[in-house]
């Protein structure tokens, strides 16, 4: 009797809820992949960008604006020395300084910085006794920065040697006076393990192609790459600097500057290399912060976009996409749980026909996701670095296997904390520096070439 009631409920739920849900789950990633792929190709072939690798003009020393490379740091003893050595010795630019904002480090980071300060005249160190988070450290650092332009540079990140003068091409070009920030093209520095190689696929297939689409089609950007973005100092001050009560300062500042009338830009020909997480525990911690920051931005900007939707059509499109992504994450988890429960139930009741039908549903859904993901990945890898990353296509299955699960789980688990944070129920964030993997000598990968 109970078994019949459960079966009837499951049949009703499948007809009126989970079957429509399966349609939504199938269509949303397909539509997203089509949109981002078309947008990426539009950027490549039709968007009138200001620069290609051939048109960059080296800036003579006498014309170089002064730049502050700002490195917010907290417990960075593993990576900080080789990063500073790289910034001091490999950068091909004359007029710059490096300002490290040490935000309450408790390891040997202060000792390392003290020693390096004696070694390098360009290096300045700002010590903040109490850890209050990356945004707070950055905001304090802006007051001490001598440069009219500030490059945010994480302690585990290195830009390509020509990055500074390439950045300046954007700001010094005709019409560049209204450019608030230029964000570079993210790549993976450590590529030994499968989880690291798969993130190389991700940064091209998700981050790179989406930024191309947003700038090329919408003329707006959802987020900077906080690990390496060049800011105009006046534009930072104009919007009140970084929000200290947000999980991801790079998303919030991007929206704030564009709302204030400033222009954001993406520079696919400027590469920077990031030390990425190499365990799933580290990766999950990072993605929880990213997911929370994305939801915070979604909540924060939804109201002000809704007030004047016609004046903010590009932002409406970006918010609709974010709304779909958040909704899809919950749908995906619910649908996956439902399929798992169906399989267990039909195994226990011995219903072979329904068991096979459920497995068919799993196969069809997985096939949809695989086809869509592969399509977007191939297109993105071809666009990025002129196809130099296509060799990493072999690791795409590993990427798709963990990305869909982790993305949905982190969005769901951080949704309520993100809402609470926006409503003011969470304190300003401190930060915990992730575990680092020492790289030996910081250098860009050999397959790094210019990209559009």
């Amino acid at each position: 009797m109970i078994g019949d009631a459960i079966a009837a409920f499951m049949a009703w739920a499948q007809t009126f809820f989970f079957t429509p849900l399966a349609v939504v789950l199938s269509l949303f990633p397909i539509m997203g992949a089509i949109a981002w792929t078309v947008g990426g190709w539009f950027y490549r072939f039709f968007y009138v960008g200001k620069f290609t690798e051939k048109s960059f003009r080296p800036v003579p020393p006498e014309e170089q604006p002064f730049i502050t490379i700002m490195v917010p740091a907290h417990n960075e003893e593993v990576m900080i020395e080789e990063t500073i050595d790289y910034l001091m010795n490999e950068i091909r630019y004359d007029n710059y300084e490096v300002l490290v904002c040490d935000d309450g480090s408790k390891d040997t980071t202060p000792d390392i910085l003290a020693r390096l300060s004696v070694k390098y005249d360009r290096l300045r160190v700002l010590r903040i006794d109490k850890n209050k988070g990356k945004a707070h450290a950055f905001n304090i650092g802006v007051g001490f920065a001598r440069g009219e332009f500030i490059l945010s540079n994480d302690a585990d990140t290195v830009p390509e040697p020509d990055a500074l003068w390439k950045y300046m091409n954007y700001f010094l070009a005709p019409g560049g006076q209204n450019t608030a920030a230029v964000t570079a093209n993210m790549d993976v520095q450590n590529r030994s393990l499968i989880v690291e190689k798969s993130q190389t696929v991700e940064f091209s297939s998700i981050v790179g192609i989406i930024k191309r689409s947003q700038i090329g089609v919408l003329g707006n950007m959802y987020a900077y790459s906080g690990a390496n973005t060049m800011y105009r100092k006046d534009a930072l001050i104009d919007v009140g600097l970084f929000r200290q009560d947000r999980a991801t300062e790079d998303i919030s500042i991007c929206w704030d500057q564009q709302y204030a009338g400033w222009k954001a830009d993406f520079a696919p020909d400027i590469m920077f290399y990031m030390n990425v997480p190499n365990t799933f525990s580290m990766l999950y911690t990072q993605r929880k912060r990213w997911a929370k920051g994305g939801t915070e931005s979604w909540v924060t900007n939804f109201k002000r976009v809704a007030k004047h939707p016609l004046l903010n059509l590009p932002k409406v499109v970006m918010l609709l996409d974010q709304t779909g992504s958040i909704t899809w994450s919950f749908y995906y988890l619910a649908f996956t749980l439902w399929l798992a429960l169906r399989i267990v139930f039909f195994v226990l009741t011995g219903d072979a026909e329904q068991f096979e039908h459920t497995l068919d549903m799993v196969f069809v859904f997985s096939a949809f996701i695989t086809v869509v993901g592969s399509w977007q990945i191939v297109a993105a890898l071809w666009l990025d670095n002129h196809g130099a990353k296509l060799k990493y296509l072999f690791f795409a299955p590993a990427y798709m296997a963990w990305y869909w699960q982790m993305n949905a789980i982190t969005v769901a688990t951080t949704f309520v904390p993100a809402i609470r944070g926006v409503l003011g129920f969470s304190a300003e964030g401190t930060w915990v520096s992730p575990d680092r993997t020492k790289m030996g000598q910081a250098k860009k990968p050999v397959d790094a070439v210019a990209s559009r």
Side-chain angles (χ1 to χ4, degrees), residues 248-361:
T248 51
E249 79 294 335
D250 46 1
I251 301 179
S252 59
I253 193 69
C254 185
W255 280 81
D256 289 343
Q257 288 184 333
Q258 289 174 108
Y259 261 111
W262 291 95
K263 185 180 185 302
D265 216 337
F266 175 54
D269 286 324
I270 303 176
M271 303 300 298
F272 72 93
Y273 306 94
M274 180 179 177
N275 189 310
V276 299
N278 57 11
T279 68
F280 283 105
S281 175
M282 293 165 56
L283 190 63
Y284 178 70
T285 300
Q286 180 196 65
R287 299 312 163 94
K288 280 184 65 177
R289 184 175 65 84
W290 288 10
K292 183 181 178 184
T295 301
E296 288 173 344
S297 177
W298 175 69
V299 175
T300 301
N301 293 290
F302 202 94
K303 183 177 180 180
R304 55 181 180 180
V305 169
K307 287 182 178 179
H308 304 286
L310 296 180
L311 298 178
N312 296 287
L313 285 178
K315 297 178 179 64
V316 169
V317 174
M318 292 193 296
L319 281 184
L320 286 176
D321 175 69
Q322 182 71 1
T323 302
S325 296
I326 293 173
T327 306
W328 186 89
S329 296
F330 283 100
Y331 276 1
Y332 177 82
L333 293 175
F335 188 67
T336 301
L337 178 61
W338 172 251
L339 288 176
L341 291 175
R342 280 176 60 89
I343 290 174
V344 172
F345 177 76
F346 293 133
V347 168
L348 294 177
T349 58
D351 193 335
E353 181 179 354
Q354 288 297 324
F355 176 76
E356 292 177 3
H357 177 67
T358 302
L359 290 183
D360 289 340
M361 291 176 63

Side-chain angles (χ1 to χ4, degrees), residues 73-147:
H74 176 71
N75 293 344
E76 304 286 359
E77 62 183 2
V78 174
M79 287 290 298
I80 191 67
E81 183 164 3
E82 62 186 287
T83 298
I84 297 300
D85 284 339
Y86 180 95
L87 294 175
M88 291 299 176
N89 299 311
E90 303 297 330
I91 298 297
R92 290 193 279 264
Y93 195 86
D94 294 300
N95 202 19
Y96 75 98
E97 66 172 353
V98 176
L99 176 62
V100 179
C101 299
D102 178 16
D103 191 35
S105 293
K106 301 299 183 182
D107 61 358
T108 62
T109 298
D111 298 329
I112 296 172
L113 292 174
R115 174 167 49 81
L116 293 175
S117 296
V118 176
K119 182 179 179 180
Y120 296 117
D121 292 336
R122 292 181 191 268
L123 176 62
R124 300 165 60 215
V125 178
L126 175 64
R127 170 69 180 179
I128 303 170
D129 289 335
K130 187 176 181 181
N131 171 16
K132 290 189 176 182
K134 181 179 178 181
H136 176 265
F138 208 108
N139 288 345
I140 296 296
V142 170
F144 290 85
R146 296 170 180 166

